[in-house]
């Protein structure tokens, strides 16, 4: 599976729209899935959510969304991205946190198909 991340579209002065797509050239082997899970850096809450998804396509879509967010964080924050965690608040809204707590940057996530 290959992630394609387009250059951001500057919607407003402090708002960027990132478009990501995945092509599934390879079969989803267990080792590929393990590598993707490691790269996505799921929180314990997201790992439980991922494990509960059925069918496998929904599981992959959820993981793809987290991989896309991780790629955007890398592009936006470079080395500091390693300190940023993508999570959800109690109402299910996506939030970004760092070791020091919530960060000023906000994120919204929408997905369809791949």
């Amino acid at each position: 599976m290959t992630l394609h991340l387009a250059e951001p579209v500057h919607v407003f002065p402090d708002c960027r729209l990132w478009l990501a797509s995945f092509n599934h050239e390879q079969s989803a082997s267990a080792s590929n899935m393990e590598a993707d899970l490691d790269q996505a850096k799921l929180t314990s809450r997201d790992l439980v959510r991922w494990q509960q998804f059925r069918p496998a396509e929904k599981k992959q879509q959820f993981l793809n969304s987290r991989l896309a967010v991780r790629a955007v964080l890398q592009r936006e924050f470079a080395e500091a991205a390693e300190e940023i965690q993508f999570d959800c608040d109690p109402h299910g809204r996506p939030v970004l946190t760092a070791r020091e707590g919530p960060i000023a940057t906000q994120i919204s996530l929408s997905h369809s198909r791949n």
Side-chain angles (χ1 to χ4, degrees), residues 66-109:
R66 292 339 190 234
L67 290 168
V69 168
R70 183 56 51 195
V72 168
L73 292 175
Q74 283 294 133
R75 296 274 298 273
E76 290 284 340
F77 298 102
E79 297 91 32
E82 293 299 318
E83 302 297 318
I84 299 172
Q85 186 65 52
F86 176 71
D87 203 357
C88 294
D89 70 10
H91 303 287
R93 292 181 295 243
V95 294
L96 298 175
T97 58
R99 290 191 179 170
E100 302 83 39
I103 60 175
T105 301
Q106 296 180 345
I107 189 166
S108 181
L109 181 64

Side-chain angles (χ1 to χ4, degrees), residues 26-46:
Q26 309 166 341
S27 63
S29 72
S31 62
N32 288 343
M33 183 69 72
E34 193 69 32
D36 286 348
L37 284 168
D38 186 52
Q39 184 179 356
K41 298 181 181 2
L42 298 179
T43 62
S44 57
R45 180 183 4 227
D46 270 356

